[in-house]
Amino acid sequence: MDLTVSGPRRLAGEIVAPGDKSVSHRAVMLNSIAEGQATITNFSPGDDCTSTMVIMRALGVNIERASADDGSGDTLVVKGAGTNGLREAEDVLDAGNSGTTMRLMSGILAGREFKATMTGDSSLQSRPMGRIIKPLSMMGAVIRGRENNTLAPLEFDGGDLSGIEYDLPVASAQLKSAILLAGLRAEGKTSISQPAASRDHTERMLSAMGADIRVDGLDVTVGQSEINCVDVDVPGDISSAAFWIVAGLIHPNSEVVIKNVGINPTRAGVITALQDMGGNIELVNERDVAGEPVADIVATSSNLRGTELAGSIMPLLMDEVPVIAVAAAMAEEETVIRDAAELRVKETDRISATVDWLVAAGVEAEARDDGMAIVGSGRIAGGTFQSQDDHRIAMALGIAAMVSDDPITVVDAGCASISYPEFWDELESLGGIVD
């Protein structure tokens, strides 16, 4: 599906961001291996989280799903199977396009008494899995993958798990979570040291469910634990909200309100970065929902300036770089993004994909090994650009179209449904023109 998008004279309205993907994944996974029953509300509608739910069902977990009448996310009722209650699936498990599903499920499947095979689409099969297999194998899990145990499909063939002490080579919430989930069933303690902070949704949720888990700065330790189901009201996804925040900042006549957004400090780096660029961003109605900080976000027209993003902030905004790049193109002076080599192994090479379309749109930009440099001029030309079947590239192009000199045609725009099925409808609700 190709779409041609152009911007309105005024961009204004109120958006309710879809349920946070990271929290949704963990809510269904952890409740599936817990004791009892839980209700998950505002579950992310995207394909990625559906892949997780389908896999848990295939492993014998009873999950009921219903759409909400008020247009919010779906409601799931999960009857937990307990720590050791999963059963062998009848077929290969399909993670679709979801790296979170494959990596976190690896921790759940590691060392089980049954065999399992997990695969994904062509994009997921090209993404690195060796960093997951290595520590899980050190714990005693028997796991095999393609290309010398570095790529999916992955085969799990039992093993006796024991706790380890492990220094993460990168600040990765997916890697950390996979080890923690295996640690729930391992003999002894499993200790992880991080080089920098990463998303802490797993630690928060495990703590709420009664796990033997301790967090001390960048170190996390978990012991063998039985956990109990907990209800989860999933906050709005800040990675999805980031597109509307940038739209509100770069459009010259705008006021965009995004409701019920999770502002967990290990996720909210995009707000810090955009405020440092001079963005008019206000957090209102701040509150705490099930252990996660939540707020409404108001973004209005701003005169942005270039900045440098590097170091410890990068794990806190990695997914938002494609749309931050749009803000950088509309800012004054240069923006430099470093320490973002992880973008090379996402759904596509997001460094190359982002710089390629920026340059084609008349923006001075340069790809670097671990990031990019963008010289803002306040102008983006229109044209036809490839999403490269990457949902975040497609949506970033849609936001760029709100201020481009001419309309932008997004090739394969439908891939936005991977994380945000209603994205193009929401863009129209704010005044954008989508054909």
Side-chain angles (χ1 to χ4, degrees):
M1 176 181 72
D2 300 348
L3 294 175
T4 299
V5 188
S6 54
R9 293 182 179 275
R10 175 163 173 77
L11 190 77
E14 197 172 274
I15 296 288
V16 178
D20 186 285
K21 283 178 57 184
S22 295
V23 175
S24 294
H25 280 298
R26 289 159 174 80
V28 69
M29 284 186 194
L30 293 180
N31 276 305
S32 290
I33 59 172
E35 298 287 345
Q37 177 173 300
T39 299
I40 304 169
T41 50
N42 199 33
F43 185 76
S44 171
D47 296 343
D48 280 2
C49 292
T50 295
S51 293
T52 293
M53 183 198 70
V54 170
I55 284 179
M56 298 313 308
R57 280 177 171 169
L59 293 169
V61 182
N62 187 321
I63 303 174
E64 299 176 2
R65 184 174 189 170
S67 299
D69 294 332
D70 61 0
S72 61
D74 293 351
T75 295
L76 270 58
V77 177
V78 181
K79 296 180 180 178
T83 305
N84 297 306
L86 300 182
R87 66 168 187 250
E88 186 171 358
E90 296 179 355
D91 206 343
V92 172
L93 304 170
D94 187 357
N97 187 252
S98 176
T100 301
T101 302
M102 179 161 284
R103 294 185 177 113
L104 269 64
M105 282 303 309
S106 293
I108 289 176
L109 292 171
R112 293 283 172 181
E113 294 183 353
F114 54 79
K115 294 183 179 182
T117 300
M118 185 164 49
T119 190
D121 65 13
S122 58
S123 169
L124 188 53
Q125 289 185 30
S126 70
R127 287 180 242 167
M129 295 297 155
R131 65 178 63 169
I132 300 293
I133 295 174
K134 180 180 177 180
L136 295 178
S137 298
M138 290 171 60
M139 296 177 75
V142 179
I143 308 174
R144 291 179 290 272
R146 290 189 303 114
E147 297 291 331
N148 195 30
N149 295 331
T150 61
L151 299 175
L154 305 180
E155 296 180 355
F156 300 83
D157 193 10
D160 296 321
L161 300 183
S162 299
I164 60 172
E165 295 182 0
Y166 194 71
D167 293 333
L168 297 187
V170 293
S172 166
Q174 293 180 1
L175 173 53
K176 174 179 62 176
S177 296
I179 299 170
L180 291 175
L181 292 173
L184 293 175
R185 293 177 292 109
E187 290 289 339
K189 298 287 187 180
T190 298
S191 298
I192 300 168
S193 294
Q194 306 176 82
S198 62
R199 300 177 184 186
D200 66 355
H201 304 300
T202 301
E203 297 95 302
R204 287 173 181 258
M205 201 171 294
L206 283 175
S207 179
M209 299 173 105
D212 176 14
I213 187 168
R214 180 173 58 85
V215 179
D216 182 10
L218 296 176
D219 298 333
V220 187
T221 301
V222 68
Q224 194 172 71
S225 304
E226 298 282 345
I227 57 176
N228 299 306
C229 287
V230 294
D231 294 338
V232 179
D233 183 15
V234 180
D237 190 289
I238 195 167
S239 295
S240 298
F243 293 94
W244 310 125
I245 296 171
V246 170
L249 299 183
I250 64 175
H251 194 281
N253 184 12
S254 66
E255 182 177 16
V256 178
V257 180
I258 312 102
K259 306 282 286 186
N260 304 323
V261 181
I263 55 169
N264 183 309
T266 64
R267 292 285 302 285
V270 64
I271 293 176
T272 301
L274 292 172
Q275 287 178 328
D276 286 347
M277 294 176 74
N280 297 321
I281 302 172
E282 184 180 5
L283 303 182
V284 299
N285 193 21
E286 293 189 55
R287 56 206 184 275
D288 190 90
V289 177
E292 290 281 349
V294 175
D296 300 336
I297 300 176
V298 183
T300 55
S301 305
S302 305
N303 294 317
L304 300 179
R305 58 182 177 270
T307 190
E308 180 171 330
L309 300 175
S312 61
I313 196 173
M314 293 312 300
L316 314 183
L317 53 70
M318 197 69 74
D319 285 340
E320 291 75 60
V321 167
V323 76
I324 291 174
V326 178
M330 296 301 295
E332 296 180 358
E333 302 179 346
E334 184 178 47
T335 293
V336 176
I337 298 173
R338 295 188 290 106
D339 302 321
E342 189 74 10
L343 292 172
R344 294 282 190 189
V345 291
K346 292 289 187 177
E347 283 81 338
T348 187
D349 179 342
R350 284 184 178 157
I351 293 175
S352 294
T354 298
V355 170
D356 285 351
W357 83 255
L358 284 172
V359 171
V363 178
E364 184 180 342
E366 176 190 14
R368 297 177 177 174
D369 288 345
D370 68 341
M372 62 191 76
I374 301 165
V375 180
S377 65
R379 294 191 64 184
I380 297 173
T384 298
F385 307 109
Q386 298 284 338
S387 71
Q388 300 198 30
D389 208 28
D390 185 316
H391 55 125
R392 299 202 192 278
I393 300 297
M395 292 188 287
L397 286 165
I399 298 305
M402 295 301 93
V403 294
S404 59
D405 295 344
D406 295 299
I408 285 178
T409 297
V410 184
V411 178
D412 294 328
C415 64
S417 67
I418 289 170
S419 62
Y420 203 158
E422 303 301 319
F423 177 80
W424 301 110
D425 291 337
E426 298 279 32
L427 195 62
E428 286 190 305
S429 78
L430 294 177
I433 302 165
V434 181
D435 294 319

